[in-house]
Amino acid sequence: MNHSQVKLRPFEETDVKTLALYANNAKIANNLTDAFPHPYGEDAARAFIGMVSKDTPTKVFAIDIQGEACGAIGVFPQSDIHKKNAEMGYWLAEPFWGLGIMSSLIPQMLDYGFNTFEIDRIFARPFGSNLASQKVLQKSGMKLEGKFEKVLWKNDRYEDEFIFAIRRNQHNL
């Protein structure tokens, strides 16, 4: 795939149908928190777009591939004593897995996060079973900081949680 056809942009109301189409996939929902519904219909897409469209500055972007919203990626600044940290989360439509798309987008989001928010660290928390996500985070320069065994309950079983992170001074801005 030509990566020039991939860009990040704010979500728009016109993305509802495409978002619902691509997000309605158990393989995606299985690697995300239960806040990401399955099945994922147009009502969920509409509510999500309405919620993320209110953020200023933008925290969640559509992964636009040839004009279609084919996923999402976001950086979420934390609060209180965690205020110098932000969590990054993402998902990509299954037809685009394995094409190096996330490897090109995660560094862009790291740049955006460090340039937009007063943070020193960006972290991500993939499931232990999500090897592809762990690999793309490592490829983006993020380091494994911790592994918590059997702390997540998803799909009637325990999952390990990994924490990958990068500091501002470790990232090439």
Side-chain angles (χ1 to χ4, degrees):
M1 153 149 289
N2 180 351
H3 287 215
S4 66
Q5 299 171 314
V6 180
K7 67 179 184 176
L8 297 177
R9 63 163 172 81
F11 275 97
E12 301 164 358
E13 287 182 30
T14 55
D15 293 323
V16 167
K17 286 191 184 314
T18 306
L19 181 60
L21 172 73
Y22 286 123
N24 190 28
N25 183 330
K27 292 179 187 175
I28 293 169
N30 287 343
N31 285 303
L32 298 173
T33 70
D34 290 342
F36 189 95
H38 184 74
Y40 196 110
E42 289 186 16
D43 287 345
R46 198 171 290 104
F48 175 77
I49 292 169
M51 179 182 67
V52 301
S53 297
K54 294 176 184 164
D55 291 333
T56 304
T58 301
K59 293 178 188 156
V60 180
F61 292 90
I63 299 172
D64 182 303
I65 302 175
Q66 298 176 322
E68 288 189 327
C70 298
I73 187 167
V75 173
F76 306 92
Q78 305 294 291
S79 61
D80 198 1
I81 60 173
H82 298 282
K83 63 183 162 250
K84 292 295 185 178
N85 299 273
E87 182 173 7
M88 180 172 54
Y90 50 85
W91 67 270
L92 181 65
E94 187 176 5
F96 304 102
W97 291 357
L99 302 177
I101 291 170
M102 293 312 298
S103 294
S104 69
L105 296 179
I106 288 174
Q108 289 179 47
M109 279 307 291
L110 294 174
D111 287 349
Y112 177 80
F114 287 127
N115 287 324
T116 305
F117 303 105
E118 291 185 37
I119 56 172
D120 184 55
R121 176 177 167 269
I122 297 176
F123 66 96
R125 302 180 304 155
F127 293 1
S129 61
N130 191 344
L131 301 178
S133 192
Q134 293 171 41
K135 190 174 179 180
V136 76
L137 292 168
Q138 288 175 319
K139 189 174 181 179
S140 300
M142 298 180 82
K143 305 284 186 248
L144 178 62
E145 288 187 344
K147 174 185 172 187
F148 299 91
E149 294 182 13
K150 296 179 177 36
V151 296
L152 307 175
W153 183 254
K154 181 78 178 183
N155 297 326
D156 295 323
R157 66 184 177 98
Y158 283 104
E159 277 274 359
D160 294 345
E161 178 180 43
F162 285 47
I163 300 195
F164 285 83
I166 191 166
R167 306 276 172 169
R168 179 184 293 274
N169 66 3
Q170 298 167 328
H171 181 63
N172 301 322
L173 291 173

